[in-house]
Amino acid sequence: MKSLRSYAFAISVIAFVIGGCQKSAIGPAGPAGATGPGGPDSIIHSQWIVLNMSIEGTYTDSSGNTDTLYTDTLPAPQLTQTILDSGVILSYLSYIDTTGTTNVMNASPYFNPELFQVGQIALTSINVDLSTGYSYRYVIIPGTLLATNSILKNYTKAQLKAANYSTIVKALDISDKKTPN
């Protein structure tokens, strides 16, 4: 009889434990936290920056032709020595033509030079004032991504620099507004 009571007591305890351990309802989710900054291995792209070029001076070449130098210096705080040493910096110009179409092209051919420095980009244009209707955007790709990113491993640095803007936006999943700022 003693073993029957022990058996009945054990069953009662187990039933009590199982019945008393119910999952409670999940409470409401808390508010979403702010998105943190990109890490050191993230692709960084600027907003479209309206150029504000100024006349740096004029010079006359050996043939007697006078050229005007236009310059602008843009802050680029994410541009570090590590990026300059091992990463890739892509740059683009955007303008809206007379039909209202936004056109985007690689910026490098329009500047002589386009000088990337720690924390800034210095632009010089000869005889062309690009501050009327032009915007500039840069894209920074850290060197670590060039070696590890499944999409980027298929491109050399030269191929990335030569790629058109729509290819880069799609490949790197860069957010893009139709109209520059």
Side-chain angles (χ1 to χ4, degrees), residues 100-129:
T101 302
T102 300
N103 298 280
V104 180
M105 62 263 185
N106 292 348
S108 298
Y110 297 90
F111 297 105
N112 187 22
E114 180 181 32
L115 184 60
F116 300 106
Q117 303 167 316
V118 173
Q120 68 180 18
I121 301 170
L123 305 172
T124 301
S125 175
I126 300 173
N127 290 331
V128 180
D129 181 2

mmCIF file of all heavy atoms in Angstrom, residues 100-129:
data_model
loop_
_atom_site.group_PDB
_atom_site.id
_atom_site.type_symbol
_atom_site.label_atom_id
_atom_site.label_comp_id
_atom_site.label_asym_id
_atom_site.label_seq_id
_atom_site.Cartn_x
_atom_site.Cartn_y
_atom_site.Cartn_z
ATOM 1 N N GLY A 100 14.545 66.899 -68.965
ATOM 2 C CA GLY A 100 14.167 66.523 -67.609
ATOM 3 C C GLY A 100 14.709 65.170 -67.177
ATOM 4 O O GLY A 100 14.385 64.683 -66.096
ATOM 5 N N THR A 101 15.541 64.558 -67.996
ATOM 6 C CA THR A 101 16.126 63.260 -67.683
ATOM 7 C C THR A 101 17.371 63.436 -66.825
ATOM 8 O O THR A 101 18.226 64.270 -67.126
ATOM 9 C CB THR A 101 16.500 62.512 -68.989
ATOM 10 O OG1 THR A 101 15.329 62.380 -69.778
ATOM 11 C CG2 THR A 101 17.096 61.147 -68.687
ATOM 12 N N THR A 102 17.480 62.647 -65.767
ATOM 13 C CA THR A 102 18.675 62.661 -64.931
ATOM 14 C C THR A 102 19.730 61.767 -65.567
ATOM 15 O O THR A 102 19.464 60.612 -65.881
ATOM 16 C CB THR A 102 18.367 62.159 -63.510
ATOM 17 O OG1 THR A 102 17.386 63.020 -62.931
ATOM 18 C CG2 THR A 102 19.609 62.156 -62.639
ATOM 19 N N ASN A 103 20.903 62.317 -65.770
ATOM 20 C CA ASN A 103 22.014 61.591 -66.366
ATOM 21 C C ASN A 103 23.118 61.461 -65.323
ATOM 22 O O ASN A 103 23.429 62.415 -64.619
ATOM 23 C CB ASN A 103 22.561 62.353 -67.578
ATOM 24 C CG ASN A 103 21.515 62.488 -68.655
ATOM 25 O OD1 ASN A 103 21.283 61.567 -69.410
ATOM 26 N ND2 ASN A 103 20.859 63.637 -68.713
ATOM 27 N N VAL A 104 23.711 60.282 -65.248
ATOM 28 C CA VAL A 104 24.793 60.035 -64.296
ATOM 29 C C VAL A 104 25.946 59.405 -65.065
ATOM 30 O O VAL A 104 25.755 58.482 -65.853
ATOM 31 C CB VAL A 104 24.344 59.087 -63.164
ATOM 32 C CG1 VAL A 104 25.477 58.849 -62.181
ATOM 33 C CG2 VAL A 104 23.128 59.650 -62.439
ATOM 34 N N MET A 105 27.155 59.939 -64.823
ATOM 35 C CA MET A 105 28.334 59.401 -65.490
ATOM 36 C C MET A 105 29.514 59.384 -64.527
ATOM 37 O O MET A 105 29.487 60.047 -63.493
ATOM 38 C CB MET A 105 28.681 60.207 -66.741
ATOM 39 C CG MET A 105 29.030 61.639 -66.498
ATOM 40 S SD MET A 105 27.558 62.599 -66.786
ATOM 41 C CE MET A 105 28.130 64.238 -66.625
ATOM 42 N N ASN A 106 30.515 58.608 -64.871
ATOM 43 C CA ASN A 106 31.732 58.571 -64.061
ATOM 44 C C ASN A 106 32.334 59.964 -64.040
ATOM 45 O O ASN A 106 32.445 60.624 -65.069
ATOM 46 C CB ASN A 106 32.730 57.570 -64.627
ATOM 47 C CG ASN A 106 32.247 56.139 -64.478
ATOM 48 O OD1 ASN A 106 31.291 55.869 -63.762
ATOM 49 N ND2 ASN A 106 32.911 55.224 -65.140
ATOM 50 N N ALA A 107 32.746 60.413 -62.854
ATOM 51 C CA ALA A 107 33.235 61.787 -62.683
ATOM 52 C C ALA A 107 34.693 61.971 -63.092
ATOM 53 O O ALA A 107 35.085 63.058 -63.513
ATOM 54 C CB ALA A 107 33.054 62.225 -61.233
ATOM 55 N N SER A 108 35.494 60.950 -62.963
ATOM 56 C CA SER A 108 36.945 61.079 -63.162
ATOM 57 C C SER A 108 37.350 61.803 -64.445
ATOM 58 O O SER A 108 38.237 62.652 -64.401
ATOM 59 C CB SER A 108 37.611 59.704 -63.109
ATOM 60 O OG SER A 108 37.414 59.130 -61.844
ATOM 61 N N PRO A 109 36.743 61.527 -65.589
ATOM 62 C CA PRO A 109 37.182 62.204 -66.816
ATOM 63 C C PRO A 109 36.936 63.718 -66.816
ATOM 64 O O PRO A 109 37.519 64.430 -67.628
ATOM 65 C CB PRO A 109 36.350 61.545 -67.921
ATOM 66 C CG PRO A 109 35.877 60.255 -67.355
ATOM 67 C CD PRO A 109 35.757 60.471 -65.874
ATOM 68 N N TYR A 110 36.100 64.212 -65.918
ATOM 69 C CA TYR A 110 35.741 65.629 -65.914
ATOM 70 C C TYR A 110 36.619 66.471 -64.993
ATOM 71 O O TYR A 110 36.469 67.685 -64.942
ATOM 72 C CB TYR A 110 34.265 65.797 -65.544
ATOM 73 C CG TYR A 110 33.371 65.148 -66.578
ATOM 74 C CD1 TYR A 110 32.986 63.822 -66.447
ATOM 75 C CD2 TYR A 110 32.980 65.857 -67.704
ATOM 76 C CE1 TYR A 110 32.203 63.214 -67.413
ATOM 77 C CE2 TYR A 110 32.199 65.260 -68.675
ATOM 78 C CZ TYR A 110 31.817 63.936 -68.524
ATOM 79 O OH TYR A 110 31.045 63.339 -69.487
ATOM 80 N N PHE A 111 37.508 65.819 -64.264
ATOM 81 C CA PHE A 111 38.373 66.548 -63.333
ATOM 82 C C PHE A 111 39.834 66.263 -63.637
ATOM 83 O O PHE A 111 40.200 65.138 -63.956
ATOM 84 C CB PHE A 111 38.043 66.163 -61.884
ATOM 85 C CG PHE A 111 36.647 66.529 -61.499
ATOM 86 C CD1 PHE A 111 35.668 65.563 -61.394
ATOM 87 C CD2 PHE A 111 36.301 67.857 -61.270
ATOM 88 C CE1 PHE A 111 34.365 65.891 -61.060
ATOM 89 C CE2 PHE A 111 35.002 68.203 -60.938
ATOM 90 C CZ PHE A 111 34.041 67.225 -60.832
ATOM 91 N N ASN A 112 40.639 67.320 -63.519
ATOM 92 C CA ASN A 112 42.061 67.183 -63.765
ATOM 93 C C ASN A 112 42.831 68.015 -62.746
ATOM 94 O O ASN A 112 43.099 69.178 -62.997
ATOM 95 C CB ASN A 112 42.397 67.618 -65.193
ATOM 96 C CG ASN A 112 43.833 67.336 -65.544
ATOM 97 O OD1 ASN A 112 44.466 66.490 -64.940
ATOM 98 N ND2 ASN A 112 44.345 68.073 -66.511
ATOM 99 N N PRO A 113 43.115 67.500 -61.585
ATOM 100 C CA PRO A 113 42.855 66.143 -61.110
ATOM 101 C C PRO A 113 41.619 66.056 -60.231
ATOM 102 O O PRO A 113 41.052 67.050 -59.821
ATOM 103 C CB PRO A 113 44.104 65.847 -60.276
ATOM 104 C CG PRO A 113 44.407 67.171 -59.637
ATOM 105 C CD PRO A 113 44.058 68.196 -60.695
ATOM 106 N N GLU A 114 41.264 64.821 -59.918
ATOM 107 C CA GLU A 114 40.309 64.471 -58.871
ATOM 108 C C GLU A 114 41.187 63.825 -57.796
ATOM 109 O O GLU A 114 41.655 62.711 -57.961
ATOM 110 C CB GLU A 114 39.275 63.486 -59.404
ATOM 111 C CG GLU A 114 38.250 63.053 -58.402
ATOM 112 C CD GLU A 114 37.269 62.058 -59.007
ATOM 113 O OE1 GLU A 114 37.639 61.266 -59.900
ATOM 114 O OE2 GLU A 114 36.120 62.047 -58.570
ATOM 115 N N LEU A 115 41.447 64.566 -56.732
ATOM 116 C CA LEU A 115 42.447 64.167 -55.751
ATOM 117 C C LEU A 115 41.774 63.701 -54.462
ATOM 118 O O LEU A 115 41.118 64.487 -53.776
ATOM 119 C CB LEU A 115 43.380 65.343 -55.473
ATOM 120 C CG LEU A 115 44.558 65.108 -54.554
ATOM 121 C CD1 LEU A 115 45.479 64.032 -55.112
ATOM 122 C CD2 LEU A 115 45.335 66.409 -54.386
ATOM 123 N N PHE A 116 41.950 62.415 -54.152
ATOM 124 C CA PHE A 116 41.389 61.841 -52.933
ATOM 125 C C PHE A 116 42.441 61.944 -51.834
ATOM 126 O O PHE A 116 43.573 61.482 -52.004
ATOM 127 C CB PHE A 116 40.986 60.385 -53.160
ATOM 128 C CG PHE A 116 39.962 60.213 -54.245
ATOM 129 C CD1 PHE A 116 40.312 59.693 -55.476
ATOM 130 C CD2 PHE A 116 38.652 60.604 -54.042
ATOM 131 C CE1 PHE A 116 39.371 59.539 -56.484
ATOM 132 C CE2 PHE A 116 37.703 60.464 -55.037
ATOM 133 C CZ PHE A 116 38.059 59.925 -56.258
ATOM 134 N N GLN A 117 42.066 62.560 -50.724
ATOM 135 C CA GLN A 117 42.959 62.745 -49.584
ATOM 136 C C GLN A 117 42.235 62.304 -48.325
ATOM 137 O O GLN A 117 41.006 62.187 -48.321
ATOM 138 C CB GLN A 117 43.342 64.231 -49.457
ATOM 139 C CG GLN A 117 43.997 64.789 -50.704
ATOM 140 C CD GLN A 117 44.076 66.308 -50.677
ATOM 141 O OE1 GLN A 117 43.114 66.979 -50.314
ATOM 142 N NE2 GLN A 117 45.221 66.837 -51.071
ATOM 143 N N VAL A 118 42.983 62.081 -47.259
ATOM 144 C CA VAL A 118 42.345 61.708 -45.991
ATOM 145 C C VAL A 118 41.354 62.815 -45.612
ATOM 146 O O VAL A 118 41.722 63.982 -45.493
ATOM 147 C CB VAL A 118 43.396 61.508 -44.878
ATOM 148 C CG1 VAL A 118 42.712 61.300 -43.534
ATOM 149 C CG2 VAL A 118 44.309 60.340 -45.207
ATOM 150 N N GLY A 119 40.083 62.453 -45.499
ATOM 151 C CA GLY A 119 39.045 63.377 -45.048
ATOM 152 C C GLY A 119 38.463 64.322 -46.080
ATOM 153 O O GLY A 119 37.539 65.070 -45.771
ATOM 154 N N GLN A 120 38.977 64.314 -47.316
ATOM 155 C CA GLN A 120 38.430 65.245 -48.311
ATOM 156 C C GLN A 120 38.743 64.817 -49.743
ATOM 157 O O GLN A 120 39.608 63.984 -49.980
ATOM 158 C CB GLN A 120 38.960 66.650 -48.077
ATOM 159 C CG GLN A 120 40.433 66.816 -48.342
ATOM 160 C CD GLN A 120 40.904 68.241 -48.089
ATOM 161 O OE1 GLN A 120 40.230 69.017 -47.425
ATOM 162 N NE2 GLN A 120 42.063 68.589 -48.609
ATOM 163 N N ILE A 121 38.008 65.431 -50.655
ATOM 164 C CA ILE A 121 38.225 65.225 -52.088
ATOM 165 C C ILE A 121 38.394 66.599 -52.715
ATOM 166 O O ILE A 121 37.531 67.463 -52.561
ATOM 167 C CB ILE A 121 37.033 64.487 -52.729
ATOM 168 C CG1 ILE A 121 36.820 63.126 -52.047
ATOM 169 C CG2 ILE A 121 37.251 64.322 -54.232
ATOM 170 C CD1 ILE A 121 35.539 62.426 -52.437
ATOM 171 N N ALA A 122 39.506 66.795 -53.402
ATOM 172 C CA ALA A 122 39.781 68.069 -54.080
ATOM 173 C C ALA A 122 39.548 67.872 -55.576
ATOM 174 O O ALA A 122 40.087 66.958 -56.189
ATOM 175 C CB ALA A 122 41.224 68.507 -53.817
ATOM 176 N N LEU A 123 38.714 68.728 -56.138
ATOM 177 C CA LEU A 123 38.345 68.640 -57.551
ATOM 178 C C LEU A 123 38.860 69.861 -58.303
ATOM 179 O O LEU A 123 38.716 70.986 -57.827
ATOM 180 C CB LEU A 123 36.820 68.570 -57.686
ATOM 181 C CG LEU A 123 36.112 67.460 -56.907
ATOM 182 C CD1 LEU A 123 34.613 67.646 -56.983
ATOM 183 C CD2 LEU A 123 36.532 66.104 -57.440
ATOM 184 N N THR A 124 39.413 69.633 -59.490
ATOM 185 C CA THR A 124 39.838 70.723 -60.363
ATOM 186 C C THR A 124 39.318 70.433 -61.757
ATOM 187 O O THR A 124 39.467 69.313 -62.268
ATOM 188 C CB THR A 124 41.381 70.843 -60.411
ATOM 189 O OG1 THR A 124 41.858 71.076 -59.095
ATOM 190 C CG2 THR A 124 41.813 71.977 -61.318
ATOM 191 N N SER A 125 38.708 71.421 -62.357
ATOM 192 C CA SER A 125 38.203 71.306 -63.725
ATOM 193 C C SER A 125 38.821 72.427 -64.558
ATOM 194 O O SER A 125 38.926 73.559 -64.098
ATOM 195 C CB SER A 125 36.679 71.422 -63.724
ATOM 196 O OG SER A 125 36.181 71.435 -65.032
ATOM 197 N N ILE A 126 39.230 72.093 -65.768
ATOM 198 C CA ILE A 126 39.830 73.088 -66.649
ATOM 199 C C ILE A 126 38.779 73.560 -67.643
ATOM 200 O O ILE A 126 38.218 72.775 -68.404
ATOM 201 C CB ILE A 126 41.054 72.506 -67.390
ATOM 202 C CG1 ILE A 126 42.098 72.058 -66.376
ATOM 203 C CG2 ILE A 126 41.635 73.513 -68.371
ATOM 204 C CD1 ILE A 126 43.266 71.322 -66.965
ATOM 205 N N ASN A 127 38.490 74.862 -67.605
ATOM 206 C CA ASN A 127 37.569 75.547 -68.524
ATOM 207 C C ASN A 127 36.116 75.114 -68.421
ATOM 208 O O ASN A 127 35.307 75.495 -69.263
ATOM 209 C CB ASN A 127 38.032 75.402 -69.981
ATOM 210 C CG ASN A 127 39.290 76.192 -70.248
ATOM 211 O OD1 ASN A 127 39.553 77.210 -69.615
ATOM 212 N ND2 ASN A 127 40.085 75.716 -71.200
ATOM 213 N N VAL A 128 35.759 74.308 -67.429
ATOM 214 C CA VAL A 128 34.363 73.891 -67.285
ATOM 215 C C VAL A 128 33.934 74.109 -65.834
ATOM 216 O O VAL A 128 34.461 73.469 -64.925
ATOM 217 C CB VAL A 128 34.168 72.405 -67.670
ATOM 218 C CG1 VAL A 128 32.710 72.001 -67.517
ATOM 219 C CG2 VAL A 128 34.655 72.142 -69.088
ATOM 220 N N ASP A 129 32.974 75.000 -65.634
ATOM 221 C CA ASP A 129 32.433 75.250 -64.304
ATOM 222 C C ASP A 129 31.306 74.245 -64.073
ATOM 223 O O ASP A 129 30.210 74.383 -64.601
ATOM 224 C CB ASP A 129 31.915 76.684 -64.204
ATOM 225 C CG ASP A 129 31.351 77.008 -62.832
ATOM 226 O OD1 ASP A 129 31.388 76.143 -61.938
ATOM 227 O OD2 ASP A 129 30.877 78.141 -62.660
#
